Amino acid sequence: MLEDRIKERIGHNIASDDVVLFMKGTPVFPQCGFSAAVVGVLSHLGIKFSGVNVLDDDEIREGIKAYSDWPTIPQLYVKGEFIGGCDIIREMYETGELMEMLNTLGIDVNPQPMQA
Amino acid sequence: MPMQAHEIETLIKTAFPDAVVTIEDLRGDGDHYSCMVVTPAFAGKTRVQQHQMVYKALGGRMGGELHALALQTKAP
């Protein structure tokens, strides 16, 4: 069971930006391949987002899994809604659903050219 | 102790007897798998819900014993 205090902390993190990525490491220095993959997708789409480094905070690291009933990190939230982890973000990106959803939610997207 | 592919398949098929489960050991280390699950039970469910259903079938091993499972889900 997730303590209310931790639930509130997580809720506050999620509400702190339109796009929030709970990840291992930071957007500049991801410390896990899956987190790096999602950072790569968001950066390629030119999306402004906030990273929450769960490695700095065990309460958040474990609490977020109960909060969303999702057992792994990274976890992406857009306008307060849980979108998915690495697999789902990658799949949505490849099918174009991610761009479509972000446009629908009014998130600024400006795709960057792929780095060679 | 990393999980074996057949253990993963058995757990998923126990929860979804009519599922078609395809598992690939990506690195041969018993720790990095890709897995496709197709079952009518996913019909009408979002991807997040479908994945949560598979994680439940795996009985909390995802993220623990089972470190990396690249999961894809589909209704037929």
Side-chain angles (χ1 to χ4, degrees):
Chain A
M1 245 314 284
L2 187 58
E3 265 178 65
D4 288 343
R5 181 181 56 79
I6 300 174
K7 203 177 203 175
E8 256 166 61
R9 283 191 64 208
I10 291 172
H12 179 71
N13 273 325
I14 290 173
S16 66
D17 203 339
D18 279 345
V19 183
V20 177
L21 178 65
F22 290 78
M23 62 178 293
K24 289 178 181 173
T26 64
V28 177
F29 292 112
Q31 289 172 265
C32 138
F34 301 114
S35 292
V38 177
V39 166
V41 168
L42 297 176
S43 311
H44 172 59
L45 291 177
I47 294 166
K48 189 181 85 52
F49 69 98
S50 298
V52 176
N53 185 358
V54 302
L55 298 179
D56 285 346
D57 191 322
D58 271 345
E59 265 189 359
I60 299 281
R61 180 174 186 172
E62 291 315 315
I64 194 71
K65 296 173 185 174
Y67 187 91
S68 55
D69 184 22
W70 190 263
T72 54
I73 303 291
Q75 295 187 20
L76 184 67
Y77 291 76
V78 176
K79 296 218 168 171
E81 197 195 327
F82 175 57
I83 305 304
C86 182
D87 295 342
I88 287 180
I89 298 306
R90 227 189 318 222
E91 201 173 334
M92 287 179 73
Y93 169 66
E94 280 153 13
T95 61
E97 282 171 78
L98 187 59
M99 280 268 271
E100 206 183 305
M101 181 202 73
L102 293 167
N103 288 326
T104 316
L105 292 174
I107 302 290
D108 280 340
V109 179
N110 23 60
Q112 313 294 306
M114 282 299 267
Q115 272 91 17
Chain B
M1 234 292 284
M3 285 184 74
Q4 301 301 316
H6 66 80
E7 282 179 281
I8 298 170
E9 185 170 357
T10 307
L11 286 167
I12 296 173
K13 285 208 162 211
T14 307
F16 308 105
D18 52 13
V20 174
V21 182
T22 322
I23 299 177
E24 203 196 322
D25 186 340
L26 295 172
R27 297 194 194 154
D29 59 4
D31 211 13
H32 296 77
Y33 290 100
S34 82
C35 176
M36 164 71 100
V37 183
V38 182
T39 168
F42 289 156
K45 298 275 195 296
T46 66
R47 267 201 198 88
V48 167
Q49 289 166 333
Q50 292 174 7
H51 285 223
Q52 284 171 326
M53 289 162 74
V54 174
Y55 291 151
K56 241 173 213 100
L58 293 173
R61 290 176 179 79
M62 188 60 210
E65 232 174 294
L66 193 47
H67 174 62
L69 179 75
L71 186 57
Q72 278 194 299
T73 55
K74 242 175 26 171

